[in-house]
Amino acid sequence: MITAPKLRIEGYVIVSAEGCLADSNGVMPDVLKFKGDQQFFEGALDRAALIVHGRNSFEDQPNSPKRKRLWVTRHVAGLAPDPTNDNALLWNPAGASFEHACQAIGIGDGAAAIIGGPSVFEMFLDRFDIFWLSQAPHVNLPGGQPCFPGVPERSPQQILSDHGLIARETIELDAANEVSVTAWQRG
Ligand SMILES: NC(=O)c1ccc[n+]([C@@H]2O[C@H](COP(=O)([O-])OP(=O)(O)OC[C@H]3O[C@@H](n4cnc5c(N)ncnc54)[C@H](OP(=O)(O)O)[C@@H]3O)[C@@H](O)[C@H]2O)c1
């Protein structure tokens, strides 16, 4: 059970028309990268107290080395230092709670930004305070990797709604390509 009462849990993803976050090779293609969305994402991560992601979802931004992060992996039993990064811990949710991981890395309040991939998003679907869903409606990724387990049988929006999140504001990020981000908030 994930409990961290003072942390605000936030999700971030950009998806194609089919709700995919990566192409059929499991790679996020350049066609899914838009300056407006990347600036929005980078600004949000600069404000976050903690970043959480799986092995292939490192954000690789200029400030990345300064950020506290939990690197989700099955290669440790619970929690372990990241030998390559003093600001990171390796975390296996099967062996340590999210609260324990936050305590271990010294983060008790502020925002925890969950940035993927799909199975990491899934772990937090019942816990997100807000999920920022960016959409690129003119990008098609046939056979691509769905952003959440359960897509495409259900849309990303339906899955967020099924987990108690409600669409609030939508912000335009790239007018020419009709890319926007919608804030899905709990209750
Ligand atoms: N469009 C977007 O906004 C966006 C966002 C995020 C990611 N992406 C892209 O989507 C792709 C995601 O890659 P991915 O599917 O490989 O996901 P990923 O979560 O980045 O990486 C999967 C790995 O993370 C670890 N992991 C994930 N869930 C875990 C769990 N529940 N327990 C323990 N470990 C877990 C495992 O690492 P170990 O093998 O170390 O055990 C697993 O092999 C990448 O191409 C990325 O660039 C795009």
Side-chain angles (χ1 to χ4, degrees):
M1 161 101 182
I2 296 169
T3 51
K6 289 188 192 164
L7 265 182
R8 193 171 64 259
I9 300 179
E10 304 182 342
Y12 294 88
V13 75
I14 182 166
V15 299
S16 68
E18 309 90 340
C20 292
L21 53 50
D23 65 17
S24 56
N25 297 313
V27 173
M28 182 175 173
D30 286 345
V31 291
L32 202 50
K33 296 175 184 172
F34 297 89
K35 190 173 177 191
D37 182 65
Q38 296 202 311
Q39 287 173 337
F40 173 81
F41 183 48
E42 191 168 349
L45 297 197
D46 281 343
R47 290 187 293 277
L50 179 66
I51 316 294
V52 182
H53 60 84
R55 178 152 49 91
N56 301 318
S57 296
F58 176 68
E59 76 278 11
D60 199 15
Q61 296 169 357
N63 287 332
S64 294
K66 301 179 194 165
R67 296 176 182 148
K68 295 280 186 189
R69 72 183 62 238
L70 296 175
W71 201 294
V72 185
T73 178
R74 295 185 179 87
H75 284 88
V76 298
L79 285 164
D82 180 341
T84 67
N85 182 350
D86 289 344
N87 278 327
L89 285 180
L90 306 177
W91 173 43
N92 186 342
S97 70
F98 181 58
E99 186 172 52
H100 187 187
C102 291
Q103 282 170 355
I105 203 163
I107 299 295
D109 55 19
I114 316 301
I115 64 168
S119 101
V120 177
F121 286 137
E122 185 179 41
M123 287 191 312
F124 287 91
L125 278 172
D126 287 324
R127 299 291 306 174
F128 284 118
D129 295 296
I130 188 165
F131 194 100
W132 294 94
L133 178 67
S134 295
Q135 293 172 264
H138 302 301
V139 174
N140 291 104
L141 296 176
Q145 185 177 2
C147 66
F148 307 136
V151 174
E153 292 78 12
R154 289 180 291 157
S155 68
Q157 292 85 344
Q158 186 63 54
I159 288 173
L160 292 171
S161 174
D162 289 349
H163 286 272
L165 295 158
I166 297 167
R168 304 282 191 196
E169 61 172 325
T170 293
I171 303 167
E172 187 176 79
L173 299 174
D174 182 321
N177 292 296
E178 297 187 20
V179 174
S180 63
V181 63
T182 299
W184 287 77
Q185 285 182 283
R186 192 158 301 282

PDB file of all heavy atoms in Angstrom, residues 13-14 21-22 26-28 32 54-57 72-75 93 115-120 123 145, ligand 1:
ATOM      1  N   VAL A  13       2.658  12.484 -18.648  1.00  0.00           N
ATOM      2  CA  VAL A  13       2.942  11.691 -19.850  1.00  0.00           C
ATOM      3  C   VAL A  13       2.434  12.462 -21.066  1.00  0.00           C
ATOM      4  O   VAL A  13       1.493  13.265 -20.937  1.00  0.00           O
ATOM      5  CB  VAL A  13       2.278  10.292 -19.782  1.00  0.00           C
ATOM      6  CG1 VAL A  13       0.778  10.344 -20.019  1.00  0.00           C
ATOM      7  CG2 VAL A  13       2.924   9.313 -20.753  1.00  0.00           C
ATOM      8  N   ILE A  14       3.061  12.222 -22.212  1.00  0.00           N
ATOM      9  CA  ILE A  14       2.486  12.688 -23.488  1.00  0.00           C
ATOM     10  C   ILE A  14       2.176  11.464 -24.323  1.00  0.00           C
ATOM     11  O   ILE A  14       2.999  10.536 -24.394  1.00  0.00           O
ATOM     12  CB  ILE A  14       3.384  13.690 -24.238  1.00  0.00           C
ATOM     13  CG1 ILE A  14       2.668  14.164 -25.527  1.00  0.00           C
ATOM     14  CG2 ILE A  14       4.776  13.126 -24.544  1.00  0.00           C
ATOM     15  CD1 ILE A  14       3.301  15.395 -26.173  1.00  0.00           C
ATOM     16  N   LEU A  21       2.731   5.963 -25.451  1.00  0.00           N
ATOM     17  CA  LEU A  21       3.826   6.822 -25.009  1.00  0.00           C
ATOM     18  C   LEU A  21       5.132   6.508 -25.720  1.00  0.00           C
ATOM     19  O   LEU A  21       6.130   7.207 -25.557  1.00  0.00           O
ATOM     20  CB  LEU A  21       4.006   6.771 -23.485  1.00  0.00           C
ATOM     21  CG  LEU A  21       4.175   5.455 -22.736  1.00  0.00           C
ATOM     22  CD1 LEU A  21       5.199   4.520 -23.247  1.00  0.00           C
ATOM     23  CD2 LEU A  21       4.409   5.744 -21.271  1.00  0.00           C
ATOM     24  N   ALA A  22       5.146   5.438 -26.489  1.00  0.00           N
ATOM     25  CA  ALA A  22       6.347   5.038 -27.229  1.00  0.00           C
ATOM     26  C   ALA A  22       5.900   4.285 -28.483  1.00  0.00           C
ATOM     27  O   ALA A  22       4.741   3.870 -28.604  1.00  0.00           O
ATOM     28  CB  ALA A  22       7.252   4.167 -26.357  1.00  0.00           C
ATOM     29  N   GLY A  26       9.216   0.332 -28.561  1.00  0.00           N
ATOM     30  CA  GLY A  26       9.354   0.709 -27.152  1.00  0.00           C
ATOM     31  C   GLY A  26      10.178   1.960 -26.947  1.00  0.00           C
ATOM     32  O   GLY A  26      10.658   2.224 -25.846  1.00  0.00           O
ATOM     33  N   VAL A  27      10.320   2.755 -28.003  1.00  0.00           N
ATOM     34  CA  VAL A  27      11.132   3.976 -27.939  1.00  0.00           C
ATOM     35  C   VAL A  27      10.212   5.179 -28.090  1.00  0.00           C
ATOM     36  O   VAL A  27       9.292   5.162 -28.925  1.00  0.00           O
ATOM     37  CB  VAL A  27      12.182   3.975 -29.073  1.00  0.00           C
ATOM     38  CG1 VAL A  27      12.924   5.306 -29.152  1.00  0.00           C
ATOM     39  CG2 VAL A  27      13.168   2.824 -28.870  1.00  0.00           C
ATOM     40  N   MET A  28      10.464   6.232 -27.298  1.00  0.00           N
ATOM     41  CA  MET A  28       9.703   7.470 -27.472  1.00  0.00           C
ATOM     42  C   MET A  28      10.274   8.201 -28.691  1.00  0.00           C
ATOM     43  O   MET A  28      11.406   8.673 -28.657  1.00  0.00           O
ATOM     44  CB  MET A  28       9.810   8.342 -26.227  1.00  0.00           C
ATOM     45  CG  MET A  28       8.996   9.613 -26.347  1.00  0.00           C
ATOM     46  SD  MET A  28       9.030  10.535 -24.799  1.00  0.00           S
ATOM     47  CE  MET A  28       8.183  12.029 -25.293  1.00  0.00           C
ATOM     48  N   LEU A  32       6.930  12.570 -31.095  1.00  0.00           N
ATOM     49  CA  LEU A  32       6.127  12.777 -29.886  1.00  0.00           C
ATOM     50  C   LEU A  32       6.745  13.844 -28.975  1.00  0.00           C
ATOM     51  O   LEU A  32       6.313  14.049 -27.850  1.00  0.00           O
ATOM     52  CB  LEU A  32       5.988  11.438 -29.146  1.00  0.00           C
ATOM     53  CG  LEU A  32       4.831  11.228 -28.157  1.00  0.00           C
ATOM     54  CD1 LEU A  32       3.488  11.606 -28.765  1.00  0.00           C
ATOM     55  CD2 LEU A  32       4.804   9.792 -27.656  1.00  0.00           C
ATOM     56  N   GLY A  54      10.795   4.176 -13.954  1.00  0.00           N
ATOM     57  CA  GLY A  54      11.407   2.891 -14.278  1.00  0.00           C
ATOM     58  C   GLY A  54      12.663   3.077 -15.109  1.00  0.00           C
ATOM     59  O   GLY A  54      13.034   4.189 -15.484  1.00  0.00           O
ATOM     60  N   ARG A  55      13.262   1.968 -15.424  1.00  0.00           N
ATOM     61  CA  ARG A  55      14.610   1.990 -16.010  1.00  0.00           C
ATOM     62  C   ARG A  55      14.703   2.754 -17.326  1.00  0.00           C
ATOM     63  O   ARG A  55      15.735   3.379 -17.601  1.00  0.00           O
ATOM     64  CB  ARG A  55      15.076   0.533 -16.234  1.00  0.00           C
ATOM     65  CG  ARG A  55      16.439   0.425 -16.893  1.00  0.00           C
ATOM     66  CD  ARG A  55      17.140  -0.853 -16.486  1.00  0.00           C
ATOM     67  NE  ARG A  55      16.326  -2.030 -16.618  1.00  0.00           N
ATOM     68  CZ  ARG A  55      16.270  -2.777 -17.708  1.00  0.00           C
ATOM     69  NH1 ARG A  55      16.956  -2.437 -18.779  1.00  0.00           N
ATOM     70  NH2 ARG A  55      15.520  -3.853 -17.744  1.00  0.00           N
ATOM     71  N   ASN A  56      13.642   2.731 -18.136  1.00  0.00           N
ATOM     72  CA  ASN A  56      13.737   3.359 -19.463  1.00  0.00           C
ATOM     73  C   ASN A  56      13.038   4.716 -19.544  1.00  0.00           C
ATOM     74  O   ASN A  56      12.790   5.217 -20.644  1.00  0.00           O
ATOM     75  CB  ASN A  56      13.138   2.403 -20.505  1.00  0.00           C
ATOM     76  CG  ASN A  56      13.880   1.084 -20.503  1.00  0.00           C
ATOM     77  OD1 ASN A  56      15.103   1.050 -20.424  1.00  0.00           O
ATOM     78  ND2 ASN A  56      13.141  -0.018 -20.524  1.00  0.00           N
ATOM     79  N   SER A  57      12.737   5.298 -18.416  1.00  0.00           N
ATOM     80  CA  SER A  57      11.972   6.553 -18.421  1.00  0.00           C
ATOM     81  C   SER A  57      12.716   7.713 -17.779  1.00  0.00           C
ATOM     82  O   SER A  57      12.096   8.710 -17.379  1.00  0.00           O
ATOM     83  CB  SER A  57      10.606   6.330 -17.731  1.00  0.00           C
ATOM     84  OG  SER A  57       9.843   5.415 -18.473  1.00  0.00           O
ATOM     85  N   VAL A  72      12.885   2.789 -10.070  1.00  0.00           N
ATOM     86  CA  VAL A  72      12.119   1.562  -9.814  1.00  0.00           C
ATOM     87  C   VAL A  72      12.754   0.395 -10.566  1.00  0.00           C
ATOM     88  O   VAL A  72      12.992   0.471 -11.771  1.00  0.00           O
ATOM     89  CB  VAL A  72      10.652   1.746 -10.247  1.00  0.00           C
ATOM     90  CG1 VAL A  72       9.830   0.514  -9.878  1.00  0.00           C
ATOM     91  CG2 VAL A  72      10.049   2.991  -9.598  1.00  0.00           C
ATOM     92  N   THR A  73      13.050  -0.683  -9.828  1.00  0.00           N
ATOM     93  CA  THR A  73      13.740  -1.823 -10.438  1.00  0.00           C
ATOM     94  C   THR A  73      13.480  -3.097  -9.634  1.00  0.00           C
ATOM     95  O   THR A  73      13.243  -3.036  -8.419  1.00  0.00           O
ATOM     96  CB  THR A  73      15.268  -1.570 -10.493  1.00  0.00           C
ATOM     97  OG1 THR A  73      15.919  -2.727 -11.052  1.00  0.00           O
ATOM     98  CG2 THR A  73      15.869  -1.284  -9.120  1.00  0.00           C
ATOM     99  N   ARG A  74      13.553  -4.221 -10.308  1.00  0.00           N
ATOM    100  CA  ARG A  74      13.455  -5.518  -9.615  1.00  0.00           C
ATOM    101  C   ARG A  74      14.842  -6.067  -9.285  1.00  0.00           C
ATOM    102  O   ARG A  74      14.962  -7.169  -8.774  1.00  0.00           O
ATOM    103  CB  ARG A  74      12.680  -6.518 -10.478  1.00  0.00           C
ATOM    104  CG  ARG A  74      11.218  -6.111 -10.675  1.00  0.00           C
ATOM    105  CD  ARG A  74      10.390  -7.154 -11.425  1.00  0.00           C
ATOM    106  NE  ARG A  74       9.014  -6.698 -11.543  1.00  0.00           N
ATOM    107  CZ  ARG A  74       8.561  -5.930 -12.534  1.00  0.00           C
ATOM    108  NH1 ARG A  74       9.366  -5.574 -13.514  1.00  0.00           N
ATOM    109  NH2 ARG A  74       7.302  -5.525 -12.558  1.00  0.00           N
ATOM    110  N   HIS A  75      15.872  -5.291  -9.562  1.00  0.00           N
ATOM    111  CA  HIS A  75      17.235  -5.774  -9.334  1.00  0.00           C
ATOM    112  C   HIS A  75      17.706  -5.593  -7.899  1.00  0.00           C
ATOM    113  O   HIS A  75      18.847  -5.954  -7.587  1.00  0.00           O
ATOM    114  CB  HIS A  75      18.208  -5.091 -10.297  1.00  0.00           C
ATOM    115  CG  HIS A  75      18.117  -5.654 -11.684  1.00  0.00           C
ATOM    116  ND1 HIS A  75      17.233  -5.170 -12.631  1.00  0.00           N
ATOM    117  CD2 HIS A  75      18.766  -6.676 -12.274  1.00  0.00           C
ATOM    118  CE1 HIS A  75      17.366  -5.878 -13.743  1.00  0.00           C
ATOM    119  NE2 HIS A  75      18.280  -6.800 -13.555  1.00  0.00           N
ATOM    120  N   PRO A  93       9.266  -1.817  -5.357  1.00  0.00           N
ATOM    121  CA  PRO A  93       8.029  -1.667  -4.581  1.00  0.00           C
ATOM    122  C   PRO A  93       7.560  -2.975  -3.936  1.00  0.00           C
ATOM    123  O   PRO A  93       6.810  -2.948  -2.962  1.00  0.00           O
ATOM    124  CB  PRO A  93       7.014  -1.167  -5.609  1.00  0.00           C
ATOM    125  CG  PRO A  93       7.839  -0.594  -6.712  1.00  0.00           C
ATOM    126  CD  PRO A  93       9.108  -1.402  -6.753  1.00  0.00           C
ATOM    127  N   ILE A 115       6.902   9.618 -13.587  1.00  0.00           N
ATOM    128  CA  ILE A 115       7.071   9.929 -15.013  1.00  0.00           C
ATOM    129  C   ILE A 115       7.149   8.667 -15.895  1.00  0.00           C
ATOM    130  O   ILE A 115       7.584   8.752 -17.032  1.00  0.00           O
ATOM    131  CB  ILE A 115       8.287  10.853 -15.218  1.00  0.00           C
ATOM    132  CG1 ILE A 115       9.615  10.196 -14.809  1.00  0.00           C
ATOM    133  CG2 ILE A 115       8.100  12.159 -14.443  1.00  0.00           C
ATOM    134  CD1 ILE A 115      10.844  10.996 -15.272  1.00  0.00           C
ATOM    135  N   GLY A 116       6.694   7.526 -15.389  1.00  0.00           N
ATOM    136  CA  GLY A 116       6.596   6.333 -16.217  1.00  0.00           C
ATOM    137  C   GLY A 116       7.629   5.279 -15.855  1.00  0.00           C
ATOM    138  O   GLY A 116       8.404   5.472 -14.917  1.00  0.00           O
ATOM    139  N   GLY A 117       7.598   4.209 -16.610  1.00  0.00           N
ATOM    140  CA  GLY A 117       6.688   3.876 -17.707  1.00  0.00           C
ATOM    141  C   GLY A 117       5.346   3.338 -17.227  1.00  0.00           C
ATOM    142  O   GLY A 117       4.937   3.562 -16.081  1.00  0.00           O
ATOM    143  N   PRO A 118       4.681   2.580 -18.117  1.00  0.00           N
ATOM    144  CA  PRO A 118       3.301   2.164 -17.860  1.00  0.00           C
ATOM    145  C   PRO A 118       3.099   1.448 -16.524  1.00  0.00           C
ATOM    146  O   PRO A 118       2.122   1.720 -15.819  1.00  0.00           O
ATOM    147  CB  PRO A 118       3.004   1.216 -19.033  1.00  0.00           C
ATOM    148  CG  PRO A 118       3.942   1.659 -20.113  1.00  0.00           C
ATOM    149  CD  PRO A 118       5.176   2.153 -19.447  1.00  0.00           C
ATOM    150  N   SER A 119       3.986   0.548 -16.157  1.00  0.00           N
ATOM    151  CA  SER A 119       3.726  -0.213 -14.922  1.00  0.00           C
ATOM    152  C   SER A 119       3.997   0.644 -13.690  1.00  0.00           C
ATOM    153  O   SER A 119       3.386   0.431 -12.633  1.00  0.00           O
ATOM    154  CB  SER A 119       4.497  -1.534 -14.914  1.00  0.00           C
ATOM    155  OG  SER A 119       5.634  -1.473 -14.146  1.00  0.00           O
ATOM    156  N   VAL A 120       4.863   1.647 -13.823  1.00  0.00           N
ATOM    157  CA  VAL A 120       5.072   2.582 -12.703  1.00  0.00           C
ATOM    158  C   VAL A 120       3.847   3.488 -12.565  1.00  0.00           C
ATOM    159  O   VAL A 120       3.346   3.725 -11.453  1.00  0.00           O
ATOM    160  CB  VAL A 120       6.375   3.382 -12.890  1.00  0.00           C
ATOM    161  CG1 VAL A 120       6.546   4.399 -11.772  1.00  0.00           C
ATOM    162  CG2 VAL A 120       7.569   2.433 -12.949  1.00  0.00           C
ATOM    163  N   MET A 123       1.051   1.610 -10.751  1.00  0.00           N
ATOM    164  CA  MET A 123       1.183   1.472  -9.293  1.00  0.00           C
ATOM    165  C   MET A 123       0.549   2.635  -8.552  1.00  0.00           C
ATOM    166  O   MET A 123       0.145   2.499  -7.405  1.00  0.00           O
ATOM    167  CB  MET A 123       2.671   1.445  -8.902  1.00  0.00           C
ATOM    168  CG  MET A 123       3.372   0.184  -9.238  1.00  0.00           C
ATOM    169  SD  MET A 123       4.995   0.122  -8.461  1.00  0.00           S
ATOM    170  CE  MET A 123       5.706   1.690  -8.825  1.00  0.00           C
ATOM    171  N   GLN A 145       3.444   1.457 -27.767  1.00  0.00           N
ATOM    172  CA  GLN A 145       3.354   1.003 -26.383  1.00  0.00           C
ATOM    173  C   GLN A 145       2.335   1.867 -25.632  1.00  0.00           C
ATOM    174  O   GLN A 145       2.530   3.083 -25.494  1.00  0.00           O
ATOM    175  CB  GLN A 145       4.728   1.125 -25.727  1.00  0.00           C
ATOM    176  CG  GLN A 145       4.777   0.580 -24.326  1.00  0.00           C
ATOM    177  CD  GLN A 145       6.184   0.653 -23.749  1.00  0.00           C
ATOM    178  OE1 GLN A 145       7.111   1.141 -24.389  1.00  0.00           O
ATOM    179  NE2 GLN A 145       6.342   0.181 -22.544  1.00  0.00           N
TER     180      GLN A 145
HETATM  181  N1  LIG B   1       5.690   9.755 -23.847  1.00  0.00           N
HETATM  182  C1  LIG B   1       6.031   9.934 -22.596  1.00  0.00           C
HETATM  183  O1  LIG B   1       5.660  10.920 -21.948  1.00  0.00           O
HETATM  184  C2  LIG B   1       6.854   8.870 -21.914  1.00  0.00           C
HETATM  185  C3  LIG B   1       6.880   8.795 -20.522  1.00  0.00           C
HETATM  186  C4  LIG B   1       7.620   7.777 -19.927  1.00  0.00           C
HETATM  187  C5  LIG B   1       8.285   6.874 -20.722  1.00  0.00           C
HETATM  188  N2  LIG B   1       8.231   6.999 -22.070  1.00  0.00           N
HETATM  189  C6  LIG B   1       8.890   6.034 -22.942  1.00  0.00           C
HETATM  190  O2  LIG B   1       8.187   4.814 -22.809  1.00  0.00           O
HETATM  191  C7  LIG B   1       9.093   3.751 -22.766  1.00  0.00           C
HETATM  192  C8  LIG B   1       8.872   3.109 -21.393  1.00  0.00           C
HETATM  193  O3  LIG B   1       9.670   2.045 -21.261  1.00  0.00           O
HETATM  194  P1  LIG B   1       9.307   0.763 -20.380  1.00  0.00           P
HETATM  195  O4  LIG B   1       8.029   0.159 -20.762  1.00  0.00           O
HETATM  196  O5  LIG B   1      10.509  -0.086 -20.476  1.00  0.00           O
HETATM  197  O6  LIG B   1       9.039   1.303 -18.914  1.00  0.00           O
HETATM  198  P2  LIG B   1       9.997   1.735 -17.708  1.00  0.00           P
HETATM  199  O7  LIG B   1       9.120   1.758 -16.480  1.00  0.00           O
HETATM  200  O8  LIG B   1      10.726   2.970 -18.012  1.00  0.00           O
HETATM  201  O9  LIG B   1      11.088   0.593 -17.571  1.00  0.00           O
HETATM  202  C9  LIG B   1      10.727  -0.727 -17.248  1.00  0.00           C
HETATM  203  C10 LIG B   1      11.679  -1.202 -16.191  1.00  0.00           C
HETATM  204  O10 LIG B   1      11.441  -0.452 -14.998  1.00  0.00           O
HETATM  205  C11 LIG B   1      11.440  -1.337 -13.892  1.00  0.00           C
HETATM  206  N3  LIG B   1      10.057  -1.476 -13.407  1.00  0.00           N
HETATM  207  C12 LIG B   1       8.935  -1.028 -14.009  1.00  0.00           C
HETATM  208  N4  LIG B   1       7.875  -1.346 -13.240  1.00  0.00           N
HETATM  209  C13 LIG B   1       8.346  -1.978 -12.142  1.00  0.00           C
HETATM  210  C14 LIG B   1       7.734  -2.533 -10.992  1.00  0.00           C
HETATM  211  N5  LIG B   1       6.408  -2.494 -10.803  1.00  0.00           N
HETATM  212  N6  LIG B   1       8.516  -3.103 -10.071  1.00  0.00           N
HETATM  213  C15 LIG B   1       9.866  -3.124 -10.212  1.00  0.00           C
HETATM  214  N7  LIG B   1      10.499  -2.621 -11.293  1.00  0.00           N
HETATM  215  C16 LIG B   1       9.742  -2.067 -12.247  1.00  0.00           C
HETATM  216  C17 LIG B   1      11.991  -2.637 -14.395  1.00  0.00           C
HETATM  217  O11 LIG B   1      13.394  -2.436 -14.358  1.00  0.00           O
HETATM  218  P3  LIG B   1      14.468  -3.588 -14.110  1.00  0.00           P
HETATM  219  O12 LIG B   1      14.585  -4.278 -15.411  1.00  0.00           O
HETATM  220  O13 LIG B   1      15.686  -2.808 -13.705  1.00  0.00           O
HETATM  221  O14 LIG B   1      13.948  -4.472 -13.029  1.00  0.00           O
HETATM  222  C18 LIG B   1      11.505  -2.661 -15.828  1.00  0.00           C
HETATM  223  O15 LIG B   1      12.277  -3.482 -16.648  1.00  0.00           O
HETATM  224  C19 LIG B   1      10.480   4.340 -22.987  1.00  0.00           C
HETATM  225  O16 LIG B   1      10.789   4.364 -24.350  1.00  0.00           O
HETATM  226  C20 LIG B   1      10.321   5.778 -22.538  1.00  0.00           C
HETATM  227  O17 LIG B   1      11.167   6.690 -23.214  1.00  0.00           O
HETATM  228  C21 LIG B   1       7.535   7.968 -22.679  1.00  0.00           C
END
